[in-house]
Amino acid sequence: MKQQRLNKILQEMERQNIPQMLISSPASIFYLTGKWIEPGERMLTLYINTNGDKKLLINELFPVNAIEGVELIWYKDTDEPIGRLINIVDKTKVLGVDKFWPAHFLIKLMERNAAAGFVNGSPIIDRTRMIKDAEEIQLMKDSSRINDSVMEEVIKTLSEEYSEKKMVNILAEIYENKGADGFSFSPIVAYGANAADPHHDSDSSKVQKGNNVIFDIGGVRKHYCSDMTRTVFYKEVSDEHKAVYNLVREANLTAIDKVKPGVRFCDIDKAARDVIENAGYGKYFTHRTGHSIGIEVHDFGDVSSVNTEEVAPGMIFSIEPGIYLSGDIGVRIEDLVLVTETGVEVLNKFTKDLIIVK
Ligand SMILES: [Mn+2]
């Protein structure tokens, strides 16, 4: 067990009067145990109790060696794991349940009055996971270092011969060569007007002279995600497009400049949004400014106009303003940033100068 992480969660459980909890998200189980187990539809549940009890209910199909400090409770496909769980849970106390635990498991527990009450336990874990510890910060830096180098290489690969889809295949190979364990999300490669859709599905389009090209890409390294976006131009760039690019870059830099402990997420969003709004493009910046990231590419907590929470040292999130002009162009520039004791450290080092690929 990662004892310090567990202690933070147990303290918060005490504070919120949730004495016991079921954790089922593979990412949260990994966070606490260092083991990544993908159970599919089978029940995998870590039970923790503020009295020190820790049990992992796990199907025999998943070979896991001992986890220090946790009792492993194995079941077979022919067993009824809910019955086992009912013997573990203290029915006189409230039970925190993972937000994504399948309803059919939860309903059975509720029908059998397995606890004195059922509450969503995930906010406690999500909020703990928002603040990365030293080990996680190093892993996030390593992951982003790979992403920087993938970005450099993929931009060089750009060619009129390759469709967006082909570029995604090339990206898979580059990540593998650079030591990543795959994508952290389905990459977005978008040429020209396709980039005006912020979530464009890469298709058979080919790049043409004068196109803008969005690369929104990320990999996983030792279970930690990277995520970065750059917009480049192919062969040439018009003055109008250059102006849009410079505006988005200014929004990105202004928002990053704002980041330090105590600033609210909504203030960071506003810093980016003001730059774009003041230039008259406000309605074309259609999404939030960023999201937390870590073991999952979208961790809990976003950089948006409605999140009034303050940022704190150890948080890592994206800053990714964009401008999307339908039928014409999309520009997005995204970096991951780490909140430090005194300010901010940008995890992505790849240049934001305007690049024209020749
Ligand atoms: Mn992102």
Side-chain angles (χ1 to χ4, degrees):
M1 282 301 259
K2 305 274 188 183
Q3 198 57 45
Q4 287 184 348
R5 298 178 190 171
L6 178 67
N7 288 346
K8 281 192 208 167
I9 287 167
L10 292 173
Q11 273 169 24
E12 196 52 30
M13 286 167 67
E14 297 249 19
R15 209 181 64 80
Q16 296 189 27
N17 290 317
I18 303 175
Q20 51 180 351
M21 185 132 80
L22 294 178
I23 300 165
S24 60
S25 137
S28 292
I29 290 176
F30 170 78
Y31 177 72
L32 285 171
T33 66
K35 310 272 184 203
W36 192 281
I37 308 158
E38 275 295 343
E41 80 282 9
R42 293 181 170 90
M43 189 197 287
L44 172 73
T45 307
L46 177 64
Y47 173 83
I48 59 175
N49 190 309
T50 50
N51 70 11
D53 221 6
K54 299 182 285 291
K55 295 185 165 77
L56 183 71
L57 194 68
I58 179 169
N59 192 295
E60 283 185 353
L61 288 172
F62 307 113
V64 171
N65 299 325
I67 302 171
E68 202 191 324
V70 184
E71 184 185 342
L72 299 185
I73 299 179
W74 300 97
Y75 68 89
K76 295 182 200 303
D77 267 352
T78 48
D79 294 338
E80 197 216 11
I82 282 288
R84 299 283 184 89
L85 210 48
I86 284 168
N87 291 333
I88 294 169
V89 173
D90 180 346
K91 69 175 175 198
T92 67
K93 304 248 166 79
V94 167
L95 177 69
V97 178
D98 197 295
K99 64 189 172 191
F100 290 131
W101 206 43
H104 67 99
F105 292 143
L106 176 59
I107 288 167
K108 278 183 197 150
L109 269 198
M110 293 174 94
E111 281 171 353
R112 290 161 75 170
N113 299 315
F118 298 86
V119 296
N120 179 7
S122 288
I124 291 178
I125 298 170
D126 289 344
R127 287 180 179 285
T128 306
R129 277 176 47 190
M130 276 180 90
I131 311 273
K132 274 67 181 173
D133 58 30
E135 180 188 345
E136 293 187 287
I137 288 170
Q138 190 55 52
L139 289 164
M140 287 298 289
K141 286 181 178 178
D142 295 346
S143 193
S144 278
R145 190 81 335 91
I146 291 176
N147 215 23
D148 283 337
S149 114
V150 171
M151 185 65 85
E152 188 178 355
E153 192 161 329
V154 76
I155 288 172
K156 283 188 204 150
T157 317
L158 198 57
S159 138
E160 273 156 47
E161 290 165 52
Y162 298 147
S163 67
E164 294 170 349
K165 272 187 172 166
K166 174 71 181 174
M167 290 302 287
V168 170
N169 293 337
I170 290 170
L171 270 169
E173 222 175 289
I174 301 175
Y175 275 110
E176 192 177 344
N177 292 340
K178 304 264 181 202
D181 312 311
F183 295 137
S184 55
F185 60 96
S186 187
I188 299 170
V189 178
Y191 302 149
N194 289 347
D197 169 7
H199 288 119
H200 175 66
D201 274 330
S202 301
D203 63 24
S204 58
S205 306
K206 293 189 174 170
V207 70
Q208 290 168 12
K209 190 176 176 182
N211 275 171
N212 52 290
V213 179
I214 280 186
F215 291 104
D216 184 351
I217 63 174
V220 179
R221 164 83 171 167
K222 295 185 175 168
H223 296 291
Y224 282 81
C225 297
S226 61
D227 184 5
M228 169 175 41
T229 308
R230 290 292 181 268
T231 305
V232 301
F233 294 87
Y234 191 66
K235 304 267 191 207
E236 63 181 24
V237 59
S238 68
D239 289 345
E240 276 169 274
H241 287 177
K242 194 187 278 185
V244 172
Y245 183 88
N246 286 334
L247 191 57
V248 174
R249 182 175 55 180
E250 192 191 332
N252 167 286
L253 294 171
T254 306
I256 289 173
D257 211 39
K258 188 90 192 165
V259 178
K260 65 174 184 194
V263 168
R264 298 176 305 169
F265 281 104
C266 57
D267 298 327
I268 299 167
D269 181 87
K270 188 169 186 304
R273 209 163 294 280
D274 279 352
V275 170
I276 291 174
E277 267 174 18
N278 292 341
Y281 285 90
K283 67 175 173 175
Y284 306 110
F285 177 15
T286 47
H287 53 73
R288 62 185 178 184
T289 293
H291 55 87
S292 296
I293 180 167
I295 302 171
E296 290 175 290
V297 72
H298 286 184
D299 264 1
F300 176 79
D302 61 3
V303 187
S304 79
S305 60
V306 294
N307 187 356
T308 54
E309 199 173 323
E310 291 179 4
V311 308
M315 288 183 179
I316 295 179
F317 47 84
S318 68
I319 300 283
E320 49 181 308
I323 291 178
Y324 308 94
L325 304 178
S326 183
D328 182 12
I329 187 179
V331 173
R332 180 166 62 258
I333 302 175
E334 172 183 25
D335 294 304
L336 299 189
V337 302
L338 162 70
V339 183
T340 64
E341 293 296 331
T342 52
V344 63
E345 182 179 341
V346 182
L347 299 191
N348 293 107
K349 311 294 183 198
F350 189 79
T351 186
K352 287 179 270 197
D353 291 347
L354 188 141
I355 294 174
I356 300 170
V357 178
K358 293 293 180 188

